[in-house]
């Protein structure tokens, strides 16, 4: 089993920021600066921002980014597959893997980014983890990063105004420092696992037939990409507004 203990450390970046958040953040920043300097550079703006704002503002930023008028979602299955039936298959797969390592996922789904990072730390199935990273995790993180682009945020804000769903605090959307968490994570994943082309259907990468039944479906592994014609259709298929 490869040493992947640092992924549990990285999971703290994506947890709700409670009072000890800045302490965990310092651990992550120090670790990245020492072992993944490029990722450390990516994370610095996030660390600087979080260390200079009070707890209530950190909580508000997290909630606004991931829960209320969310920029992106933390559940990999939703990011990858949207409402497609393949999302259910992926959730079942992740639930089985979380049970193997006795990980209590709490109120979050088994494919929540924090739970997947814990899974990467504790799982002894290197082949499965490598496939998960190449086929699901890296494509999802890339997609999450694109959701922070100003054009995407502007589109979402326009749709929200049309729907009159909420009062928009735009300063929490533009230049959102959580993007730096994802760019730092992507840098670590690339350093640890690299990137490779998707395995074509018929190849057997994983040792488990249950894993093969999901991962070797080419259609289930294509990066989730909507090509809706209207902004409203695009927004509704990407967002789960209350």
């Amino acid at each position: 089993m490869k040493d992947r203990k640092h992924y549990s450390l990285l999971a703290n970046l994506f947890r709700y920021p409670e009072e000890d958040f800045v302490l965990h953040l310092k651990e992550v920043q120090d670790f990245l600066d020492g072992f993944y300097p490029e990722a450390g550079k990516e994370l610095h703006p996030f660390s600087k921002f979080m260390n200079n704002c009070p707890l209530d503002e950190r909580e508000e930023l997290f909630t606004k980014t991931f829960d209320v008028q969310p920029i992106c979602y933390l559940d990999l299955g939703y990011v990858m597959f949207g409402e497609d039936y393949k999302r259910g298959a992926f959730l079942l797969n992740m639930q089985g893997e979380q049970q193997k390592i006795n990980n209590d996922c709490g109120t979050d789904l088994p494919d929540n980014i924090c739970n997947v990072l814990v899974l990467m730390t504790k799982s002894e199935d290197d082949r499965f983890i490598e496939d998960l990273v190449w086929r699901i995790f890296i494509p999802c993180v890339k997609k999450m990063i694109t959701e922070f682009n100003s054009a995407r945020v502007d589109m979402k804000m326009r749709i929200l105004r049309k729907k009159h769903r909420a009062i928009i605090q735009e300063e929490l959307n533009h230049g959102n420092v959580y993007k730096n968490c994802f760019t730092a994570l992507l840098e670590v994943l690339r350093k640890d696992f690299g990137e490779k082309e998707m395995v074509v259907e018929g190849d057997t990468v994983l040792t488990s037939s249950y894993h093969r039944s999901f991962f070797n479906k080419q259609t289930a592994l294509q990066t989730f990409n909507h090509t809706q014609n209207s902004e409203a259709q695009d927004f509704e298929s990407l967002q789960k507004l209350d």
Side-chain angles (χ1 to χ4, degrees):
M1 175 180 172
K2 297 179 180 178
D3 185 0
R4 298 186 294 266
K5 293 179 182 178
H6 51 290
Y7 285 102
S8 283
L9 189 64
L10 292 171
N12 291 321
L13 296 175
F14 305 98
R15 300 188 193 281
Y16 187 79
E18 298 182 350
E19 291 186 4
D20 59 352
F21 179 79
V22 292
L23 297 177
H24 293 304
L25 177 56
K26 186 179 186 304
E27 287 184 81
V28 177
Q29 186 67 70
D30 289 346
F31 173 80
L32 293 181
D33 289 342
F35 297 95
Y36 298 85
E38 292 301 317
K41 290 178 183 178
E42 292 289 340
L43 189 63
H44 271 296
F46 179 79
S47 294
K48 181 178 179 180
F49 180 88
M50 287 298 192
N51 283 315
N52 288 287
C53 67
L55 176 62
D56 60 339
E57 290 185 17
R58 294 196 295 267
E59 293 173 338
E60 182 182 17
L61 179 60
F62 181 92
T63 301
K64 184 68 181 291
T65 305
F66 302 117
D67 291 330
V68 180
Q69 304 167 16
I71 293 177
C72 72
Y73 296 94
L74 296 177
D75 301 325
L76 301 189
Y78 184 78
V79 175
M80 191 73 179
F81 305 113
E83 299 294 348
D84 193 279
Y85 75 93
K86 301 181 188 71
R87 181 190 178 200
F90 181 69
L91 276 172
L92 285 175
N93 198 14
M94 290 298 98
Q95 183 178 19
E97 295 300 320
Q98 298 290 2
Q99 289 173 347
K100 286 181 183 178
I101 64 168
N102 296 315
N103 181 35
D104 181 2
C105 294
T107 58
D108 293 321
L109 293 173
D111 66 337
N112 178 275
I113 192 170
C114 296
N115 286 325
V116 174
L117 287 167
V118 172
L119 173 63
M120 289 175 60
T121 299
K122 296 183 178 182
S123 174
E124 297 181 358
D125 190 341
D126 289 342
R127 300 287 296 277
F128 169 72
I129 294 299
E130 288 175 356
D131 233 39
L132 175 66
V133 170
W134 284 325
R135 296 173 181 269
I136 302 292
F137 212 163
I138 286 179
C140 281
V141 173
K142 287 181 177 179
K143 180 169 176 54
M144 290 167 169
I145 291 170
T146 65
E147 294 301 315
F148 287 84
N149 293 343
S150 59
R152 299 285 294 173
V153 172
D154 287 342
M155 182 273 289
K156 294 171 186 178
M157 295 303 103
R158 289 198 299 272
I159 298 299
L160 280 171
R161 291 190 188 96
K162 290 179 182 179
K163 291 177 174 291
H164 303 288
R165 291 286 183 92
I167 297 174
I168 303 167
Q169 301 176 44
E170 298 189 31
E171 72 277 7
L172 293 182
N173 286 310
H174 292 281
N176 191 306
V177 290
Y178 267 104
K179 179 179 180 179
N180 295 85
C181 294
F182 292 105
T183 56
L185 173 59
L186 181 59
E187 181 66 25
V188 175
L189 290 170
R190 283 171 165 166
K191 289 292 184 183
D192 287 350
F193 294 91
E195 292 186 86
K196 70 174 186 177
E197 294 297 322
M198 188 181 303
V199 179
V200 298
E201 188 171 0
D203 288 347
T204 53
V205 176
L206 301 175
T207 55
S208 165
S209 60
Y210 179 61
H211 293 159
R212 288 198 297 270
S213 69
F214 176 76
F215 280 109
N216 283 323
K217 293 179 181 178
Q218 177 100 8
T219 56
L221 297 172
Q222 295 172 344
T223 302
F224 185 61
N225 179 30
H226 288 286
T227 55
Q228 302 291 348
N229 292 326
S230 71
E231 287 183 343
Q233 287 176 319
D234 188 25
F235 181 79
E236 288 178 357
S237 47
L238 289 173
Q239 307 300 321
K240 299 180 294 184
L241 291 175
D242 294 331

